[in-house]
Amino acid sequence: MITRALLPLLQCPTCQSRLLYLADDGLRCAACATCYPLEAGYIDLMPRGADFDYVSKYVTDEAELAEELDYRDLAPPLLAAGVRDRTLRRLMRWQPSDVVLDNGCGTAKHAVWNTPYVGLMVGSDPATLFADEAVAQVALTKADSRTLPFAEASFDKAFAIDILEHFPIDVIDDYLRETARVLRPGGRMLAFSNTREMSPIQPIINMSRRIGRLFVRAGVYDFSREARRKSDHLKALENWEDVLAAFERAGLRPVKVIFWNSLFTTFVEHVLMKLGEAALGRSPKKAATQPAAGPQPEGIAREIRARRRMRSQLRPGSPVYYALMAITLLMELDLWLFGWMRCGSYFILVEKPHGLSRSE
């Protein structure tokens, strides 16, 4: 949504001026005369004239990915997304007065789920694959995280869910530096991402992966959608020392760390839920002899059908909802039982120290 509460936080991403004003054709900068159009539910605040070496596939392939991501309708926060969201809420300790930035929000699902607990939720992403609920509830900006269109010290808190693994080192540094810039002194940021490090219990975790591969070879399901979604994962922060060094370069101090050793999670994602998707995602019998309606691989089409059918049954309080919540809590046990054990996937809560200046 476009709300006037967002305007005092903004600065021109092209020239960094605070002299922005609403005009008939959009948001204008009085210093450089750039006009930023007001689109359907968001403000286009991409910097003009910037030439970045790295551009996300979600920007370059936005139209192609739109159908595959099935992004417009949101399910409740369940399964792996539910674990991320419950951990986000637990560690961030939202306050009703908080002004919060979801930096690299994607569909802005986490922003939607947490909007009721804060004063103002802002979502920022260079792609505009925003869910319908996000367009209605979240202050959205189309923006690049290397030149955020927000004034210094504008936000109490920020978060980055499944972001850092997509970037090369120089982009990570720019991303974290800009996030630190727009945080107020004492403000906190939570990041969830992953490195290349294996879990100490990886041999046990891999048992579920081997079972999943047996079903793949039998043609029951495949992981084509997951492979597509993760195809641009660089994991430039290869180990935990790299993670700590990146946040230190940005001037952000670690407060708490939880590792996600995915013992139960891997069984759910590689076996249990994939079997459910295979059953729910079957094509109607009358369509079985017809040619495919589109260019999507059958595995991706099947998973999308399954997710849409599941969403139709996910009313809060329904048996399906309670069953998936129970599975979500099982997955969350990985954090409670093994969260101290260093591995690749991590939640890190960091803080911007008081007295950190723009130049530090």
Side-chain angles (χ1 to χ4, degrees):
M1 66 178 180
I2 298 175
T3 171
R4 287 187 176 273
L6 177 63
L7 301 183
L9 308 179
L10 298 179
Q11 71 176 27
C12 175
T14 302
C15 74
Q16 288 71 58
S17 170
R18 297 293 306 279
L19 301 176
L20 297 171
Y21 64 94
L22 282 172
D24 292 339
D25 54 352
L27 189 67
R28 282 195 167 272
C29 175
C32 68
T34 302
C35 180
Y36 301 99
L38 308 182
E39 304 291 354
Y42 66 92
I43 307 177
D44 182 349
L45 287 165
M46 292 291 286
R48 303 308 193 248
D51 185 16
F52 295 118
D53 291 333
Y54 171 86
V55 181
S56 165
K57 75 170 184 180
Y58 291 95
V59 176
T60 59
D61 302 347
E62 183 172 337
E64 179 184 346
L65 288 168
E67 176 66 20
E68 181 180 321
L69 292 173
D70 190 26
Y71 68 94
R72 295 193 60 179
D73 296 321
L74 292 183
L78 296 166
L79 303 176
V83 175
R84 289 170 173 81
D85 199 67
R86 288 166 61 84
T87 307
L88 171 68
R89 198 173 306 171
R90 173 160 53 95
L91 294 181
M92 293 302 272
R93 299 181 181 179
W94 303 127
Q95 300 298 318
S97 60
D98 281 342
V99 179
V100 181
L101 173 64
D102 182 355
N103 191 4
C105 63
T107 64
K109 61 186 178 184
H110 291 285
V112 169
W113 293 334
N114 289 275
T115 289
Y117 308 107
V118 304
L120 177 64
M121 180 67 74
V122 179
S124 173
D125 202 282
T128 57
L129 301 173
F130 304 130
D132 291 348
E133 287 181 72
V135 171
Q137 300 177 30
V138 178
L140 294 171
T141 63
K142 179 180 180 180
D144 193 285
S145 296
R146 287 162 286 194
T147 53
L148 286 173
F150 309 113
E152 187 170 348
S154 293
F155 294 94
D156 300 295
K157 293 168 183 173
F159 60 93
I161 306 295
D162 294 310
I163 300 298
L164 299 182
E165 65 270 22
H166 294 271
F167 297 155
I169 288 290
D170 60 327
V171 177
I172 291 172
D173 285 344
D174 289 343
Y175 177 99
L176 293 178
R177 185 185 65 251
E178 276 289 274
T179 305
R181 180 184 66 80
V182 302
L183 277 177
R184 291 169 184 158
R188 292 189 168 188
M189 172 192 180
L190 180 82
F192 172 76
S193 187
N194 50 82
T195 68
R196 298 178 183 272
E197 291 189 90
M198 295 293 104
S199 167
I201 56 173
Q202 196 66 44
I204 304 174
I205 293 172
N206 285 341
M207 292 173 64
S208 295
R209 297 180 184 274
R210 286 195 288 270
I211 295 171
R213 285 196 291 269
L214 290 175
F215 283 112
V216 170
R217 284 199 291 269
V220 178
Y221 54 72
D222 62 46
F223 291 94
S224 55
R225 189 165 185 253
E226 287 87 345
R228 169 77 166 150
R229 183 172 56 85
K230 297 179 180 180
S231 62
D232 70 338
H233 283 199
L234 301 177
K235 297 187 181 181
L237 301 178
E238 297 188 8
N239 54 53
W240 185 239
E241 287 76 19
D242 290 344
V243 174
L244 294 177
F247 281 96
E248 182 179 355
R249 289 194 297 272
L252 295 168
R253 179 179 62 86
V255 174
K256 187 175 180 64
V257 176
I258 301 174
F259 295 103
W260 194 347
N261 291 268
S262 55
L263 178 62
F264 301 114
T265 298
T266 300
F267 176 74
V268 170
E269 293 188 334
H270 282 249
V271 182
L272 187 60
M273 295 311 300
K274 296 299 292 185
L275 287 173
E277 286 173 359
L280 278 172
R282 291 175 180 167
S283 297
K285 289 184 179 179
K286 64 180 181 180
T289 59
Q290 297 175 358
Q296 288 180 338
E298 174 55 26
I300 292 175
R302 180 175 58 236
E303 186 171 341
I304 291 174
R305 286 194 300 269
R307 289 172 180 264
R308 288 175 176 172
R309 290 168 184 170
M310 182 67 74
R311 278 202 302 264
S312 69
Q313 303 177 47
L314 278 179
R315 299 178 304 277
S318 70
V320 174
Y321 177 87
Y322 282 126
L324 291 183
M325 178 54 73
I327 296 172
T328 302
L329 296 177
L330 173 67
M331 297 168 77
E332 193 173 351
L333 273 179
D334 285 330
L335 304 184
W336 294 104
L337 295 178
F338 313 117
W340 54 272
M341 191 183 300
R342 173 170 159 173
C343 69
S345 296
Y346 61 88
F347 295 88
I348 182 169
L349 179 67
V350 296
E351 184 176 77
K352 178 179 178 177
H354 289 275
L356 182 66
S357 71
R358 188 185 189 114
S359 60
E360 288 178 311

